[in-house]
Amino acid sequence: MKSVLLRKGRIELDDTPKPEPGPGEVLVRSRACGICGSDLHMVHNAGDFAHIAEHVGMPLPDDFELEIALGHEFVGEIAAFGPETQRQLPVGQRVCSMPFLPTADGNRAIGAEPGVPGAYSEYFLCNESLLIPIADHVSDEAAALVEPLAVGIHAVARSGHDGQQAALVLGCGPIGLAVITALRSAGVETIVAADPVESRRDLASASGATHIVDSAGGEEMDRINEHAAGQPVVIYECVGRPFMLSQIIDRAPQQATCVFVGLCTEDVSILPFIAMQKELDLKFAFYYAPEDFMAAVETISAGGLDASLWVTGKVGIDGVSEAFEVLSAPNEHVKVLVEPWREGGFEVRDG
């Protein structure tokens, strides 16, 4: 089969063996898979992950060569069942799943670690027990957004608030939009969204933000203080730049809750006394729980997310390298989908 690989810091299309499903596993034909910011990060900052592996006591061998079949934001269809499966869903059923493949050695990450086929490939493996059927009325575009939406839902759950909060979302890329969508679904009435890019601020407004602000002006904290009206303030960091942690601690209002969602793999420096003096709650969100993933499926099935706001481009399996080049330069894209079942270059969605 054709598979898109991250190999030695480059995106390459290659022929790879079609995977055989083992006990409890299902072979899935990929229909659409989103390009995630973490995929771009792995391409450009592979050394960061080696540093982190060493820091947590799992150093990589000197001759280790990073090769990953990418793709973890997927919708696919069942192609075949492995042994010891229940087969309660039919072949051809569209499905999504949390991107983990349970093995005897623990959960392995689909599309994010060596040796596990990802959904930028024509076929990949899922665990049958984790499959979630996609309703007929839900498009492939919308279904491919379940995973990033689950990240936003989990971040809101991590805040510990029950909807009686005033929220400030910093960064209106896919994760920021996911947080805004989750906040709106949770009934949060005050959602201030900040981004330096006008088109992304417009998307934030269309996704449910009640107020938007140009973050280039540095007025985000003034706006959330103005609109909070005595409610607890929760700040969601969806940028992932190393300076954001200390900047938020410096500027956050007293007793704010700060949830860090943006991926950052660099060392940062903070002055703890400032956070202590303000009695800030600093929280960090990573991936999601199963209930967050199911909530994302239900939100999308109920029409709670407009995929046309998110999906700004598509590409066939032979055009992924081109798409990565586009997304690695300054751009206004939100989510680009890979469709591994076809060939074709980068296509920008009109409007």
Side-chain angles (χ1 to χ4, degrees):
M1 67 173 183
K2 297 292 185 184
S3 186
V4 174
L5 304 174
L6 165 59
R7 179 184 285 152
K8 297 182 179 180
R10 295 176 57 86
I11 295 295
E12 299 181 358
L13 179 64
D14 205 349
D15 292 315
T16 61
K18 187 176 178 179
E20 292 288 337
E25 295 177 348
V26 174
L27 181 69
V28 177
R29 177 178 178 263
S30 184
R31 293 177 64 100
C33 183
I35 296 178
C36 178
S38 65
D39 297 331
L40 294 166
H41 195 95
M42 280 193 285
V43 170
H44 300 296
N45 304 97
D48 290 349
F49 293 94
H51 168 71
I52 292 171
E54 182 176 3
H55 188 76
V56 299
M58 300 174 61
L60 302 175
D62 292 337
D63 60 351
F64 178 79
E65 293 185 358
L66 186 69
E67 179 175 294
I68 297 175
L70 294 170
H72 63 275
E73 300 179 355
F74 56 77
V75 57
E77 60 185 49
I78 296 174
F81 291 92
E84 301 176 27
T85 48
Q86 299 299 313
R87 309 188 183 202
Q88 295 180 345
L89 297 174
V91 170
Q93 170 69 54
R94 290 187 308 145
V95 292
C96 67
S97 168
M98 291 194 300
F100 304 112
L101 193 64
T103 71
D105 298 323
N107 287 338
R108 302 195 67 188
I110 296 172
E113 69 173 274
V116 184
Y120 293 175
S121 305
E122 292 182 278
Y123 295 89
F124 60 101
L125 299 176
C126 284
N127 183 275
E128 184 186 40
S129 66
L130 297 180
L131 293 180
I132 303 172
I134 298 298
D136 291 342
H137 70 276
V138 176
S139 68
D140 284 348
E141 288 187 0
L145 301 176
V146 167
E147 198 274 349
L149 179 57
V151 173
I153 290 173
H154 182 64
V156 172
R158 285 284 295 142
S159 77
H161 290 266
D162 59 1
Q164 300 303 311
Q165 57 173 294
L168 171 62
V169 180
L170 301 175
C172 300
I175 298 306
L177 294 181
V179 169
I180 291 168
T181 301
L183 289 166
R184 183 194 63 206
S185 297
V188 176
E189 296 182 356
T190 301
I191 307 172
V192 179
D195 196 285
V197 180
E198 182 179 7
S199 62
R200 292 190 175 183
R201 296 196 299 272
D202 291 342
L203 287 172
S205 182
S207 297
T210 56
H211 307 85
I212 58 174
V213 59
D214 183 353
S215 57
E219 299 177 352
E220 310 96 309
M221 298 302 171
D222 292 337
R223 296 288 79 76
I224 191 62
N225 286 331
E226 173 186 333
H227 298 297
Q231 290 180 303
V233 171
V234 182
I235 300 168
Y236 296 90
E237 191 283 317
C238 304
V239 179
R241 301 293 294 276
F243 61 83
M244 292 295 292
L245 181 58
S246 60
Q247 188 176 94
I248 288 172
I249 289 173
D250 286 343
R251 300 174 58 204
Q254 291 280 340
Q255 297 184 324
T257 298
C258 309
V259 183
F260 295 89
V261 196
L263 177 64
C264 180
T265 58
E266 300 176 57
D267 291 330
V268 299
S269 177
I270 66 170
L271 184 58
F273 178 76
I274 298 176
M276 294 169 64
Q277 185 269 331
K278 293 183 178 182
E279 294 192 328
L280 302 179
D281 288 333
L282 305 183
K283 299 188 177 186
F284 299 83
F286 187 59
Y287 274 121
Y288 26 71
E291 57 267 27
D292 303 319
F293 206 87
M294 280 303 306
V297 173
E298 293 165 1
T299 297
I300 288 175
S301 183
L305 182 150
D306 185 351
S308 68
L309 296 177
W310 287 53
V311 179
T312 52
K314 293 184 177 182
V315 66
I317 196 168
D318 59 335
V320 177
S321 178
E322 176 192 1
F324 269 67
E325 290 180 8
V326 172
L327 296 175
S328 296
N331 68 88
E332 295 187 4
H333 283 285
V334 178
K335 184 61 64 177
V336 174
L337 298 184
V338 179
E339 296 177 327
W341 49 267
R342 68 175 180 89
E343 295 184 345
F346 190 81
E347 302 173 3
V348 177
R349 167 171 292 220
D350 294 335

